[in-house]
């Protein structure tokens, strides 16, 4: 069996002493409730809620409480306890050490949710958020929390979920070797290569700013949805997560699209009338020159290119704009993927390089969003790195492929094939499966682009696999699974336990469902007579998305 890569992450980053700071434990109750909410989409037995000494106390809806946030729980919610009871409440945008007044908005089986009304004293590690929209936008909830504290909290969350949901004992002598320190991100702003904005019929303005605003608050909006509302859009002129070229184009569109003579109407999600639905901006780079490339994608309710012509003329003045697309979505849903796609200017793809390969990215392709290259200014000889490179290097290290072209790799939820293609040069053959038709087309195109002939990509729903699924490929030596947020369906878990590949690399964007699936693969599901057959060798958290609650993990399992 292959050994877990020893100290692989330290080759990429210098040691950070603050990551070894004392970690405050989350409660078992919080982890249990997280598991229950995430398991609702999976056909699996849910654990019973944990019991606490606070069962005799239960706050009423609408009740106000003075609370102190103890730590951050999954999804970035602040975990608090009602004084003298130990009863747990969760509050969005509450940060560790913050004392505040909150109103109970929702009651769960074993905890309650509150809305913060007023801060009495600020949280630990406070910094001033550089973005004017940070207090209300759902994208960067922790901009006012020192970055070192952000990653420390994320590592803590993974540790607690692995213990309480994954049922791996932190008393095990091997635990410290299994649980790796989180890999921070070298750059905390302008790292996203894709942002999606929505058009709305009316700007949403925070209540505390209503008196300061003029009559233009009734104007239409282009920006981001208010968290929890599909029909409220906050006007955004600049987003600190996307590239500067993308922000310049966004500002130009904001200044121009409302002109009455253009006849452009925002889509109304209630009446289902209007033309403009979404604006998607994708940033890439020319693989030959290294110059920025920008794709602008207008999502509209119908195909009327003549209406978009003035906007096209406006933004093609920017030299970085090399592609303007139009996705036509006639449905009433809020998706940005169109039934039809048209190229209005330039080419239909932009390019990006990763692990020595070049990738063509279409408007609706999935591609790792943190590919911003940054040079380490403190070490002049250090090469430029991107967090996606760090992630894929960790995956490659965990794969432990011999390099003699003798091993079969099964790439599940392969997307556009980026992981499988970066490993293909060391494998005999890579078999990738993905439900999205466009992603499979992109994977095949990228294989051809890089001259890779030992990769096969197949469209299929991995949540609906049949008994004959294993007949589509030889028995793999390595399985890579990179599911979306709900994790893996029990059908797929049972298949993997029957398949018994020597190694599994589980790449996760959701540590809660990741911990649950690791539990099934290693410990089985006794109540269903399902036996686990894997040993968890390592789990490596990676901060791909600073200032957000999202956490990526790379987990290595080996067959017992």
């Amino acid at each position: 069996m292959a050994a877990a890569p020893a100290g692989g992450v330290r080759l990429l980053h210098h040691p950070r002493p603050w990551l070894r700071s004392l970690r405050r434990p989350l409660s078992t109750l919080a982890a249990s409730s997280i598991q229950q909410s995430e398991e609702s989409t999976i056909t699996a037995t849910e654990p019973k809620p944990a019991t606490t000494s606070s069962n005799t106390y239960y706050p009423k809806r609408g009740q106000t409480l003075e609370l102190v946030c103890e730590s951050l729980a999954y999804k970035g919610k602040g975990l608090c306890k009602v004084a003298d009871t130990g009863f747990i409440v969760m509050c969005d945008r509450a940060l560790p050490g913050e004392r505040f007044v909150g109103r109970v908005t929702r009651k769960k089986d074993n905890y309650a949710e509150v809305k913060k009304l007023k801060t009495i004293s600020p949280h630990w590690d406070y910094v001033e958020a550089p973005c004017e929209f940070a207090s209300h936008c759902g994208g960067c909830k922790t901009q006012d929390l020192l970055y070192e504290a952000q990653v420390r909290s994320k590592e803590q969350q993974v540790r607690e979920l692995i213990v309480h949901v994954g049922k791996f004992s932190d008393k095990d002598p091997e635990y410290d070797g299994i649980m790796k320190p989180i890999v921070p991100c070298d750059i905390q702003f302008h790292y996203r290569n894709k942002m999606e904005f929505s058009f709305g019929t009316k700007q949403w303005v925070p209540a505390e700013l209503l008196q300061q605003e003029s009559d233009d608050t009734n104007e239409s909006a282009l920006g981001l949805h208010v968290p929890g509302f599909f029909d409220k859009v906050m006007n955004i002129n600049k987003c600190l997560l996307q590239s500067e070229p993308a922000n310049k184009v966004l500002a130009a569109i904001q200044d121009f699209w409302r002109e009455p003579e253009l006849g452009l109407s925002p889509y109304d999600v209630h009446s289902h009338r209007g033309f403009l639905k979404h604006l998607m901006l994708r940033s890439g780079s020319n693989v030959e020159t290294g110059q920025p490339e920008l794709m602008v994608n207008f999502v509209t309710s119908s195909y009327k290119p003549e209406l978009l012509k003035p906007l096209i003329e406006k933004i093609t003045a920017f030299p970085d704009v090399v592609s303007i697309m139009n996705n036509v979505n006639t449905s009433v849903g809020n998706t940005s993927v169109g039934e039809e796609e048209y190229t209005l200017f330039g080419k239909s793809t932009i390019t990006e390089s990763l692990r020595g390969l070049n990738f063509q990215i279409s408007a609706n392709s999935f591609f790792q969003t943190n590919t911003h290259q940054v040079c380490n200014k403190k070490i002049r000889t250090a090469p430029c790195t991107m967090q996606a490179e760090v992630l894929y290097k960790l995956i490659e290290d965990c794969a432990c492929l011999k390099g003699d072209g003798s091993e079969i790799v099964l790439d599940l939820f392969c997307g556009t094939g980026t992981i499988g293609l970066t490993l293909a040069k060391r494998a005999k053959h890579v078999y990738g499966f993905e439900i999205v038709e466009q992603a499979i087309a992109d994977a095949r195109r990228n294989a051809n682009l890089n001259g890779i002939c030992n990769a096969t990509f197949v469209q299929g729903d991995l949540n609906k696999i049949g008994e004959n699924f294993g007949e589509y490929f030889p028995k793999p030596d390595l399985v890579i699974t990179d599911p979306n947020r709900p994790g893996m369906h029990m059908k797929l878990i049972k298949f993997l336990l029957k398949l018994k590949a020597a190694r599994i690399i589980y790449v996760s964007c959701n540590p809660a469902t990741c911990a649950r699936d690791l539990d099934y693969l290693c410990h089985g599901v006794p109540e269903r007579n399902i036996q686990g057959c894997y040993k968890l060798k390592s789990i490596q958290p990676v901060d791909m998305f600073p200032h957000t609650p999202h956490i990526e993990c790379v987990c290595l399992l080996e067959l017992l």
Side-chain angles (χ1 to χ4, degrees):
M1 294 183 182
V9 67
R10 290 185 173 82
L11 297 176
L12 299 169
H13 290 271
H14 294 287
R16 289 167 169 81
W18 45 263
L19 284 176
R20 296 192 291 270
S21 303
L22 179 64
R23 297 172 176 86
R24 301 176 180 84
L26 294 175
S27 69
T28 306
L29 175 60
S32 174
S33 61
I34 289 169
Q35 182 186 23
Q36 286 180 308
S37 65
E38 295 295 344
E39 285 197 340
S40 60
T41 59
I42 304 295
T43 308
T45 302
E46 296 182 356
K48 294 181 180 179
T51 58
T52 70
S53 59
S54 61
N55 284 342
T56 55
Y57 173 82
Y58 213 99
K60 296 180 180 179
R61 186 172 181 180
Q63 181 179 349
T64 57
L65 302 168
E66 183 175 316
L67 301 162
V68 176
C69 178
E70 294 191 0
S71 60
L72 287 181
Y74 178 61
K75 293 187 177 179
K77 290 183 179 291
L79 186 149
C80 318
K81 291 180 181 178
V82 178
D84 302 323
T85 70
F87 187 86
I88 289 175
V89 295
M90 309 292 285
C91 181
D92 199 22
R93 296 185 183 279
L95 296 171
E98 180 178 6
R99 182 179 294 275
F100 66 97
V101 176
R103 178 185 295 120
V104 178
T105 58
R106 186 179 299 179
K107 297 188 293 184
K108 300 287 187 177
D109 289 340
N110 48 14
Y111 71 99
E113 294 183 0
V114 301
K115 178 181 180 180
K116 183 167 63 175
L117 301 178
K118 180 178 68 172
T119 296
I120 299 173
S121 58
H123 56 79
W124 306 316
D125 300 312
Y126 173 82
V127 294
E128 186 174 351
C131 178
E132 61 180 300
F133 309 109
S135 299
H136 306 284
C137 168
C140 302
K141 293 185 178 182
T142 54
Q143 265 195 38
D144 60 352
L145 181 63
L146 187 70
Y147 181 65
E148 288 82 356
Q150 292 181 36
V151 291
R152 189 166 61 237
S153 174
K154 290 183 178 185
E155 182 183 318
Q156 175 191 341
Q157 291 172 44
V158 175
R159 286 178 174 270
E160 294 294 329
L161 288 165
I162 289 297
V163 171
H164 296 303
V165 178
K167 302 174 186 175
F168 295 92
S169 174
D170 55 357
K171 308 299 182 185
D172 189 324
E174 297 182 358
Y175 176 80
D176 286 338
I178 292 172
M179 183 69 205
K180 307 296 183 183
I182 190 169
V183 182
C185 188
D186 284 340
I187 185 167
Q188 289 91 51
F189 291 102
H190 305 295
Y191 60 81
R192 287 191 65 97
N193 57 29
K194 175 186 174 184
M195 285 291 295
E196 182 181 308
F197 303 93
S198 296
F199 291 90
T201 55
K202 185 178 179 181
Q203 294 183 23
W204 179 86
V205 178
E208 61 268 28
L209 298 181
L210 278 175
Q211 300 302 321
Q212 306 174 22
E213 297 290 328
S214 60
D215 293 338
D216 65 0
T217 55
N218 288 321
E219 283 190 356
S220 49
L222 169 59
L224 298 172
H225 284 275
V226 179
F229 296 93
F230 74 98
D231 57 349
K232 295 183 178 180
V233 177
M234 180 169 59
N235 215 50
I236 300 291
N237 299 307
K238 180 179 183 179
C239 177
L240 296 185
L241 293 191
Q242 70 177 358
S243 68
E244 285 298 342
N247 274 324
K248 291 178 181 178
V249 171
L250 173 63
I253 294 174
Q254 283 280 28
D255 289 341
F256 189 58
W257 78 274
R258 296 181 186 85
E259 295 296 328
E261 61 270 19
L262 300 181
L264 294 171
S265 59
Y267 186 77
D268 190 322
V269 294
H270 295 288
S271 68
H272 307 303
R273 296 177 180 174
F275 179 61
L276 293 171
K277 285 189 168 184
H278 304 284
L279 170 69
M280 183 190 299
L281 301 174
R282 298 196 76 139
S283 302
S285 58
N286 187 297
V287 295
E288 295 180 356
T289 65
Q291 293 300 308
E293 290 188 339
L294 192 67
M295 172 185 285
V296 181
N297 179 22
F298 292 101
V299 182
T300 59
S301 59
S302 58
Y303 181 57
K304 297 178 180 178
E306 67 280 2
L307 287 180
L308 294 174
K309 187 176 180 180
L311 275 178
I312 294 171
E313 293 175 350
K314 182 81 172 179
I315 59 181
T316 50
F318 293 89
D320 295 330
V321 176
V322 298
S323 171
I324 300 179
M325 306 298 295
N326 180 198
N327 267 245
V328 178
N329 187 318
T330 61
S331 70
V332 297
N334 199 31
T335 179
S336 60
V337 179
E339 301 106 16
E340 298 175 351
E341 183 175 282
Y342 301 91
T343 303
L344 303 182
F345 170 81
K347 51 187 182 178
S348 61
T349 62
I350 57 175
T351 55
E352 192 62 271
S353 59
L354 185 63
R355 302 297 297 157
L357 301 179
N358 297 327
F359 294 90
Q360 291 184 350
I361 307 165
S362 61
N364 296 311
S365 294
F366 171 79
F367 194 74
Q368 282 294 337
T369 53
N370 189 333
T371 56
H372 183 104
Q373 289 193 345
V374 56
C375 291
N376 191 328
K377 295 180 181 178
K378 296 180 181 178
I379 307 175
R380 295 187 179 182
T381 58
C384 292
T385 60
M386 63 174 82
Q387 199 71 341
E389 281 275 354
V390 173
L391 179 70
Y392 281 60
K393 177 63 166 60
L394 289 166
I395 295 171
E396 190 173 311
D397 288 346
C398 283
C400 294
L401 293 175
K402 299 174 184 177
D404 59 0
S406 64
E407 295 163 291
I408 300 294
V409 176
L410 177 61
D411 188 5
L412 304 176
F413 307 96
C414 66
T416 54
T418 47
I419 295 177
L421 291 174
T422 58
L423 297 177
K425 62 182 179 295
R426 299 179 61 83
K428 180 178 181 180
H429 205 94
V430 173
Y431 294 87
F433 288 83
E434 167 64 48
I435 189 174
V436 181
E437 182 179 3
Q438 182 61 53
I440 289 296
D442 288 342
R444 292 169 179 167
R445 183 175 65 246
N446 287 324
N448 292 331
L449 177 67
N450 291 280
I452 296 174
C453 303
N454 61 333
T456 301
F457 295 100
V458 181
Q459 182 187 5
D461 189 347
L462 291 168
N463 291 328
K464 298 178 181 179
I465 60 173
E467 294 292 331
N468 62 338
F469 179 58
E471 299 175 3
Y472 292 100
F473 45 83
K475 182 175 179 178
D477 301 280
L478 170 67
V479 174
I480 298 172
T481 179
D482 188 5
N484 52 16
R485 301 189 66 77
M488 295 193 298
H489 194 281
M490 184 57 73
K491 285 183 179 180
L492 183 56
I493 290 173
K494 290 170 68 176
F495 170 80
L496 292 176
L497 290 173
K498 183 179 178 181
L499 182 67
K500 289 184 169 59
R503 301 183 305 282
I504 295 177
I505 298 176
Y506 191 125
V507 185
S508 168
C509 60
N510 182 340
T513 52
C514 174
R516 179 205 63 204
D517 291 349
L518 294 178
D519 174 35
Y520 294 158
L521 291 168
C522 295
H523 307 137
V525 189
E527 59 269 26
R528 294 192 173 197
N529 295 319
I530 299 174
Q531 293 185 344
C533 61
Y534 283 92
K535 181 178 179 63
L536 180 61
K537 300 295 291 184
S538 67
I539 178 167
Q540 176 68 73
V542 183
D543 187 23
M544 298 291 293
F545 311 107
H547 309 301
T548 79
H550 303 300
I551 312 170
E552 201 89 7
C553 290
V554 179
C555 311
L556 174 64
L557 301 97
E558 290 185 351
L559 190 66
L560 290 171

